[in-house]
Amino acid sequence: GEDVEQSLFLSVREGDSSVINCTYTDSSSTYLYWYKQEPGAGLQLLTYIFSNMDMKQDQRLTVLLNKKDKHLSLRIADTQTGDSAIYFCAETFSYNTDKLIFGTGTRLQVFP
Amino acid sequence: DGGITQSPKYLFRKEGQNVTLSCEQNLNHDAMYWYRQDPGQGLRLIYYSQIVNDFQKGDIAEGYSVSREKKESFPLTVTSAQKNPTAFYLCASSSNRVDTEAFFGQGTRLTVV
């Protein structure tokens, strides 16, 4: 199946690191994405990783991919209140590049 | 500036009425998609289109219809057959290359009363 799961909530203190986790079931994924959705807004692509990579770093964002365990994570360093949003992981597949399969979304709440 | 535009941002309709959500893109993308978002659930694919005059059902197409008469436009009609139409709807577009991102509109929140 093409299930993608995330924990629903994460609460962190401003300045700490946040780690948002995602697990998926289909090992045929090609690209894995992290999207951010702020209240009342559409989705914004944060970063993505090709499935043959283990890690990708982009400023405060670090993506880790463990293909063996089918586990993807997004680490946000020095989390700010402006990072409060819902974060979705998503994947596309080698056998069907037509659509993105999204996770359930993780609501990140950053408090002072 | 290139982008993808959904309208309106908020939409209210009475139960039993059909309603059409607009999605326009000027990115010259071949592929366009409609997703539905409900609280506590992931985004679910309703319909997608890879090319003009062609579209495919997604995972939850029942009660919805689409058309793709022009490359830049992919309107979604929520029909009276959709049992639970109140939701947040997101439109997206992409080129058909696997390594390119999808661009999303700002979404339309549909409330049926």
Side-chain angles (χ1 to χ4, degrees), chain B residues 81-96:
Chain B
Q82 166 51 233
K83 292 183 176 58
N84 187 18
T86 295
F88 186 65
Y89 291 87
L90 277 169
C91 178
S93 71
S94 70
S95 72
N96 276 325

Side-chain angles (χ1 to χ4, degrees), chain A residues 1 12 14 33 41 46 54 58 63 75-76 87 97 105-106 111:
Chain A
V12 299
E14 190 173 16
Y33 305 80
L46 288 177
D54 298 322
D58 184 0
V63 179
R75 179 177 180 269
I76 306 173
Y87 291 81
T97 60
T106 299
F111 58 93

Side-chain angles (χ1 to χ4, degrees), chain A residues 2 8 30-31 33 35 37 40-45 48 86 88 92-93 96-105, chain B residues 9-10 33 35 37 40-45 48 50 59 88 90 96 98-107 109:
Chain A
E2 298 171 345
L8 289 180
T30 50
Y31 283 88
Y33 305 80
Y35 284 88
Q37 185 180 23
L43 290 170
Q44 172 198 355
L45 178 68
Y48 64 92
I86 301 176
F88 289 91
T92 54
F93 305 93
N96 184 351
T97 60
D98 298 332
K99 61 182 183 181
L100 286 165
I101 302 298
F102 285 89
T104 49
Chain B
K9 192 169 181 179
Y10 299 96
Y33 313 81
Y35 294 89
Q37 183 180 351
Q41 297 195 43
L43 288 166
R44 292 180 291 168
L45 181 65
Y48 63 101
Q50 290 179 279
D59 301 315
F88 186 65
L90 277 169
N96 276 325
V98 66
D99 59 343
T100 58
E101 62 185 274
F103 289 77
F104 286 82
Q106 291 302 297
R109 183 168 298 282

Side-chain angles (χ1 to χ4, degrees), chain B residues 39-99:
Chain B
Q41 297 195 43
L43 288 166
R44 292 180 291 168
L45 181 65
I46 304 172
Y47 267 99
Y48 63 101
S49 167
Q50 290 179 279
I51 199 166
V52 175
N53 292 322
D54 185 53
F55 47 83
Q56 307 294 329
K57 291 183 180 180
D59 301 315
I60 54 165
E62 187 176 348
Y64 299 97
S65 66
V66 293
S67 63
R68 188 83 188 278
E69 296 175 5
K70 298 185 294 183
K71 188 176 187 178
E72 57 269 22
S73 178
F74 191 40
L76 173 75
T77 297
V78 184
T79 75
S80 56
Q82 166 51 233
K83 292 183 176 58
N84 187 18
T86 295
F88 186 65
Y89 291 87
L90 277 169
C91 178
S93 71
S94 70
S95 72
N96 276 325
R97 286 177 50 194
V98 66
D99 59 343

